[in-house]
Amino acid sequence: MDAPLLALKHVSPTFTLAQLIQWVSQHGDLSEVWAFRLLYMLYINLCVLLVLGMHTKFAALLLLFLHISIFTALPQYSYGADYFCNILLFYCLVFPTQRSSSIDQWMLRSPRVSNRQTNTCLGILRLHLCLVYFFSGLDKALGNDWWNGQALWKALHLPYFHTQHLLQALLPYFPNWLFTVGGLAVVLLELSYPLALFMPRVRNAILYSIIVLHLLIALTMGLYLFSLVMIFLNIISWLIGGPSQKYSTCLLTHYLKRLARPKPPKPTDGSKPNRKEEQL
């Protein structure tokens, strides 16, 4: 372990990995190597508990704390996949995950999550993904590199990204217009992602295109963890779905219609309005 690098200034309110190792070493009378091994085993065991659904809330809370401290407290050691893992762990903490196909539900004999709760959680996940992809596409669209293909060309030629040897041999033969078309396709695909929330007819086309995009990112740039997390998040949010697809898909539309619905005029004679009129 490189202590000076681990002790870099962090931007998170939680402890860094170096601080955790030092705290465990001092209070547990252990060497730094054994403190690191202990934290590593704790992280793995918490992941197993969360997958099995045993002590779900406690495991999600402690795992979220450890994940932030190990991966995202120091930006030098983190990238997009780590932040999306934080998001997934946060949703595991706030959603009723302990009441859906878990050991906690079987041991405590608690009632299963209702269809309405399941679809509400799915609606939140879908809305979150729509915001992520839309603003990612908007950020790309505001620059010039994605319109002329330079961003895609640079991404495939960066030395610190693992690119397949066959692709490296073929890159010089790719025409320039292919990078331009690829960049435009990425921008338009991310900007059109929110259409999956309102237009079921184009939903599958958008989702399968996003999955293909992340597969290409994994194969060409070597970002396997990031691609796996994003594909997993898209599958559990859209393709698996809940018992009632209409409710979760039209959740945002439902609330927007309620906000836009005109209120009934107040009576001028002092009489109370009818309840049916208020609901209309």
Side-chain angles (χ1 to χ4, degrees):
M1 293 181 295
D2 195 336
L5 285 178
L6 291 177
L8 288 173
K9 182 179 179 181
H10 65 286
V11 294
S12 174
T14 60
F15 295 104
T16 62
L17 179 58
Q19 292 171 339
L20 280 178
I21 293 174
Q22 185 179 7
W23 186 86
V24 173
S25 177
Q26 291 177 354
H27 292 77
D29 195 17
L30 299 171
S31 64
E32 292 187 354
V33 175
W34 279 104
F36 173 77
R37 291 176 179 176
L38 181 62
L39 290 173
Y40 178 78
M41 292 304 300
L42 178 62
Y43 185 89
I44 297 298
N45 290 328
L46 288 173
C47 290
V48 174
L49 289 177
L50 189 60
V51 171
L52 295 177
M54 181 181 294
H55 304 293
T56 311
K57 295 297 183 181
F58 173 77
L61 177 61
L62 192 54
L63 190 58
L64 177 61
F65 172 78
L66 277 178
H67 190 84
I68 293 175
S69 300
I70 296 173
F71 293 101
T72 59
L74 294 175
Q76 295 86 352
Y77 290 96
S78 61
Y79 75 117
D82 299 320
Y83 295 100
F84 278 102
C85 287
N86 286 343
I87 294 171
L88 289 173
L89 289 173
F90 173 77
Y91 281 135
C92 286
L93 180 63
V94 298
F95 287 169
T97 51
Q98 78 281 5
R99 292 167 50 195
S100 177
S101 303
S102 63
I103 295 180
D104 287 340
Q105 182 198 6
W106 177 73
M107 294 179 62
L108 301 176
R109 299 185 184 277
S110 57
R112 291 183 63 87
V113 181
S114 64
N115 293 347
R116 186 180 181 87
Q117 288 177 318
T118 302
N119 291 318
T120 301
C121 295
L122 286 174
I124 294 174
L125 279 176
R126 294 173 179 182
L127 179 60
H128 196 150
L129 281 176
C130 289
L131 294 175
V132 167
Y133 280 107
F134 176 78
F135 283 104
S136 175
L138 183 62
D139 181 66
K140 292 179 176 65
L142 293 177
N144 296 322
D145 291 347
W146 284 94
W147 294 102
N148 54 28
Q150 289 186 11
L152 197 59
W153 187 92
K154 292 177 182 178
L156 294 176
H157 287 79
L158 288 175
Y160 47 83
F161 282 142
H162 172 69
T163 306
Q164 301 297 331
H165 296 290
L166 179 60
L167 182 61
Q168 288 181 343
L170 295 177
L171 278 177
Y173 300 99
F174 286 173
N176 293 332
W177 62 266
L178 187 61
F179 295 103
T180 304
V181 172
L184 290 174
V186 172
V187 173
L188 294 178
L189 179 60
E190 292 185 345
L191 287 176
S192 63
Y193 190 92
L195 295 178
L197 191 65
F198 302 100
M199 300 176 63
R201 293 182 179 180
V202 301
R203 182 184 306 148
N204 288 338
I206 294 175
L207 294 179
Y208 288 124
S209 299
I210 284 289
I211 291 175
V212 170
L213 172 64
H214 288 298
L215 287 175
L216 291 175
I217 291 174
L219 294 175
T220 58
M221 301 176 64
L223 300 177
Y224 302 112
L225 179 60
F226 172 76
S227 300
L228 180 63
V229 169
M230 297 308 299
I231 291 174
F232 174 76
L233 191 55
N234 278 277
I235 289 177
I236 64 174
S237 300
W238 296 94
L239 300 181
I240 294 179
S244 175
Q245 288 284 345
K246 289 184 178 180
Y247 179 79
S248 57
T249 303
C250 303
L251 182 67
L252 182 61
T253 308
H254 171 73
Y255 286 112
L256 289 177
K257 287 182 178 180
R258 288 188 60 181
L259 291 175
R261 185 181 300 168
K263 296 182 179 180
K266 295 183 179 180
T268 56
D269 55 355
S271 61
K272 294 183 179 180
N274 192 1
R275 282 189 174 180
K276 293 184 177 180
E277 294 179 356
E278 290 180 349
Q279 294 176 357
L280 294 175

